[in-house]
């Protein structure tokens, strides 16, 4: 045997079949197709490896959509496929669905108006006995017949997500059979549908008695249906009314067999996307939340994108009875997100002080909040995430600086009272100073004083600054990386003071830095990026967008040399 023959080993034929079965599923399907052309032995081994074909992704980006050979192989492996993802499939792929007798999960997305809904429904009925998870995202209008077909044929579904253009219902209520196993339902219309058009939501919920998670964007139902949802779905824990769908992204394992002794009856997650008519019923929303105060863990309320003042024809319209929220006391609440709401300072202070377990607080476009809110935030000993952005005009940099100084003082007091660090680890969370890790602020709260105060909060791991104006903070910003040595993620968006000095200091002191994103920075240049990539050994992701002094060639070359994921966009 010569030297060349010694170095060419047929691993597929040499390795045990069980070991090959662990390797082949890790390869993209397009590479599997290339491997099948090597030899008859390889082709046979790959075709006989059932694990390699349990999950199939068909799309133009992966090169599998228009490959006739891949389609033929998929036909051969149809009985082994458990998960199939289709992006803009043609009729042949839709017809193939009827052969997938063991399909467990189907994710279908079509952006084309020529998609045949009738053909899809015909073949869906053939695979329905094994199907457990189904997501449909198509540009067409659903009607009662289509909805009834899904409910009556896919009787074993546990997860269902429907994203369609709109709804064309009849005058009579729809009659749907019960789906006893359905625990996760997502229902979204691209063209928002009002309750007057989609009258069948109560019927849909009645057909899902064991539902645990429900997210949708049917306008105004967040108010009309609050009391009915619990009646129709007694086990529901997560209620999400959002403008943008989550669908399969929100599919998480849940314990559907938990008894009432293991979990209290009530919502744990509530996200409400309000419109102009919904915000007039603050009393209804408060009463609903108060009824679930013993179980609520995550709360997000987002107001309308249009100001009620600009659309109000009478003084009676707009935010009404939201002062009642001052009585909201949720001991288990750990995440709070308020956006575009006219809640005043006193009400917000009451909420924060009656929800002591809060770990994450997000304020976006909350113009009525004033600096005393920071005092209430300082009392949250478990707070690790604080985002204040976009139009919280009543809050000032001086108030934020006082908040940061307060954190530092509480931390120093803890150290003086418990000089032994081992003792600190055993203190209850309510007895320790907060460990703030994730902060995001816009230009209204950023000045030299607030940054100087922030530099003493050594626990910060994620830092996000964004601004739309110039301000003199170069010196304080450049020193910041020297103090915040635990930074893992940094985002600087339109910060004129962010220069190469900041990036260089970050490269030397940010030993834990993994991600950095730069947007519209006028002073940052290629030199700063070089320093960052050369010195920061832990860096994994770098994004530079619309930074005129940072060139694509430098970013790409340096990043690829150091095996860093890169995103670049020019002006």
């Amino acid at each position: 045997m010569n030297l060349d023959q010694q170095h060419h080993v047929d691993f597929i034929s040499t390795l045990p079949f069980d070991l090959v079965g662990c390797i082949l599923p890790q390869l993209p399907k397009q590479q599997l197709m290339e491997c099948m052309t090597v030899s008859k032995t390889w082709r046979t081994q790959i075709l006989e490896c059932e694990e390699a074909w349990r999950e199939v992704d068909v799309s133009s980006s992966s090169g599998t959509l228009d490959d006739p050979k891949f389609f033929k192989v998929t036909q051969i492996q149809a009985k082994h496929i458990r998960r199939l993802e289709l992006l803009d499939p043609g009729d042949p792929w839709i017809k193939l669905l009827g052969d997938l007798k063991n399909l467990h999960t189907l994710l279908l997305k079509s952006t084309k108006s020529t998609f045949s809904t009738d053909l899809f429904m015909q073949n869906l009925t053939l695979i329905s006995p094994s199907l457990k998870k189904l997501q449909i995202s198509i540009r067409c209008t659903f009607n009662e017949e289509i909805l009834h077909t899904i409910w009556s044929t896919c009787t074993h579904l546990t997860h269902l997500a429907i994203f369609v253009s709109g709804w064309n219902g009849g005058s009579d209520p729809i009659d749907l059979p019960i789906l006893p196993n359905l625990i996760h339902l997502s229902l979204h219309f691209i063209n928002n549908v009002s309750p007057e058009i989609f009258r069948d939501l109560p019927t849909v919920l009645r057909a899902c008695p064991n539902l645990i998670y429900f997210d949708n964007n049917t306008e105004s139902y967040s108010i009309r249906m609050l009391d009915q949802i619990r009646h129709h779905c007694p086990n529901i824990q997560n209620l999400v009314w959002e403008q943008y769908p989550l669908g399969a992204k929100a599919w998480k394992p849940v314990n559907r067999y938990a008894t009432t002794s293991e979990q209290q009856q009530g919502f744990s997650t509530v996200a409400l996307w309000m419109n102009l008519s919904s915000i007039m019923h603050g009393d209804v929303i408060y009463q609903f939340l108060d009824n679930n105060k013993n179980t609520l863990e995550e709360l997000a309320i987002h107001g309308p994108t249009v100001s009620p003042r600009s659309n109000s024809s009478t003084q009676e319209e707009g935010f009404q009875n939201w002062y009642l929220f001052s009585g909201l006391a949720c001991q288990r609440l750990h995440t709070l997100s308020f956006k575009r709401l006219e809640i005043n300072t006193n009400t917000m202070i009451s909420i924060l002080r009656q929800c002591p377990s809060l770990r994450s607080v997000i304020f976006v476009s909350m113009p009525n909040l004033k600096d005393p809110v920071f005092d209430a935030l300082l009392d949250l000993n478990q707070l690790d995430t604080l985002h204040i952005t976009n139009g919280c005009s009543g809050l000032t940099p001086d108030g934020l600086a006082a908040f940061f100084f307060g954190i530092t003082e509480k931390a120093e007091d803890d150290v003086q009272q418990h000089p032994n660090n081992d003792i600190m680890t055993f203190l209850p969370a309510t007895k320790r100073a907060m460990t703030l890790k994730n902060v995001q602020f816009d230009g209204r709260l950023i000045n030299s004083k607030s940054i100087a105060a922030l530099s003493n909060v050594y626990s910060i791991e994620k830092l996000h600054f964004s601004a739309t104006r110039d301000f003199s903070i170069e010196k304080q910003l450049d020193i910041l990386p020297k103090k915040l040595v635990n930074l893992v993620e940094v985002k600087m968006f339109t910060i004129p003071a962010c220069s190469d000095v900041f990036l260089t200091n970050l490269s030397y002191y940010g030993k834990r830095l993994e991600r950095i994103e730069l947007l519209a920075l006028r002073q940052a240049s290629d030199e700063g990026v070089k320093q960052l990539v050369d010195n920061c050994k832990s860096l994994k992701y770098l994004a530079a967008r619309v930074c005129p002094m940072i060139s694509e060639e430098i970013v790409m070359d340096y990043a690829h040399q150091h095996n860093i994921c890169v995103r670049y966009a020019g002006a």
Side-chain angles (χ1 to χ4, degrees), residues 215-403:
D215 81 74
N216 75 112
N217 73 336
T218 50
E219 186 179 358
S220 295
Y221 266 117
S222 55
I223 299 302
R224 298 184 178 207
M225 288 293 297
L226 287 178
D227 294 330
Q228 298 183 44
I229 288 176
R230 173 61 63 192
H231 173 70
H232 296 315
C233 309
N235 297 321
I236 195 166
Q237 301 172 27
N238 305 278
L239 174 63
V240 179
W241 249 279
E242 285 286 4
Q243 186 174 4
Y244 303 105
L246 296 174
K249 297 178 182 178
W251 289 355
K252 300 177 181 178
V254 294
N255 183 11
R256 47 190 284 209
Y257 302 107
T259 62
T260 53
S261 60
E262 295 172 332
Q263 63 179 28
Q264 299 184 57
Q265 289 294 307
F267 289 95
S268 61
T269 301
V270 174
L272 303 179
W273 169 44
M274 317 299 292
N275 62 9
L276 289 172
S277 62
S278 301
I279 61 176
M280 297 170 59
H281 304 283
D283 52 342
V284 178
I285 301 169
Y286 166 73
Q287 188 60 55
F288 169 74
L289 296 176
D290 189 60
N291 292 338
N292 294 275
K293 63 182 180 181
N294 294 326
T295 57
L296 197 60
E297 297 179 355
E298 299 180 50
L299 174 62
I301 304 180
H302 294 176
T305 54
V306 178
S307 172
R309 293 190 181 92
S310 62
N311 285 266
S312 177
S313 59
T314 69
Q315 294 183 351
E316 296 179 356
E317 296 182 8
F319 289 87
Q320 295 185 23
N321 298 319
W322 286 75
Y323 67 88
L324 294 172
F325 274 66
S326 60
L328 188 63
C330 303
Q331 298 296 314
R332 299 179 61 179
L333 189 68
H334 60 71
T335 300
L336 176 68
S337 175
F338 280 172
K339 186 174 183 180
R340 298 187 298 270
L341 301 178
E342 294 184 6
I343 293 180
N344 63 38
T345 300
N346 290 334
T347 300
M348 184 56 66
I349 290 175
S350 297
I351 295 173
L352 294 175
R353 287 182 171 162
Q354 294 178 103
C355 301
S357 299
L358 278 172
R359 298 196 298 268
S360 174
V361 175
I362 300 173
F363 296 144
V364 180
S365 297
M366 301 285 288
N368 294 345
L369 299 185
K370 306 297 181 183
D371 282 349
V373 167
F374 286 120
D375 294 334
L377 288 170
L378 193 57
D379 292 335
L380 298 174
N381 291 324
Q382 299 184 56
L383 187 68
D384 63 22
T385 298
L386 178 62
H387 295 181
I388 304 177
T389 59
N390 298 354
C392 296
S393 53
L395 300 175
T396 67
D398 289 346
L400 181 62
F403 170 71

Side-chain angles (χ1 to χ4, degrees), residues 89 91 110-117 139:
D91 289 352
S110 178
T111 59
K112 300 178 179 178
S113 57
T114 56
F115 180 80
S116 174
T117 307
R139 292 189 175 275

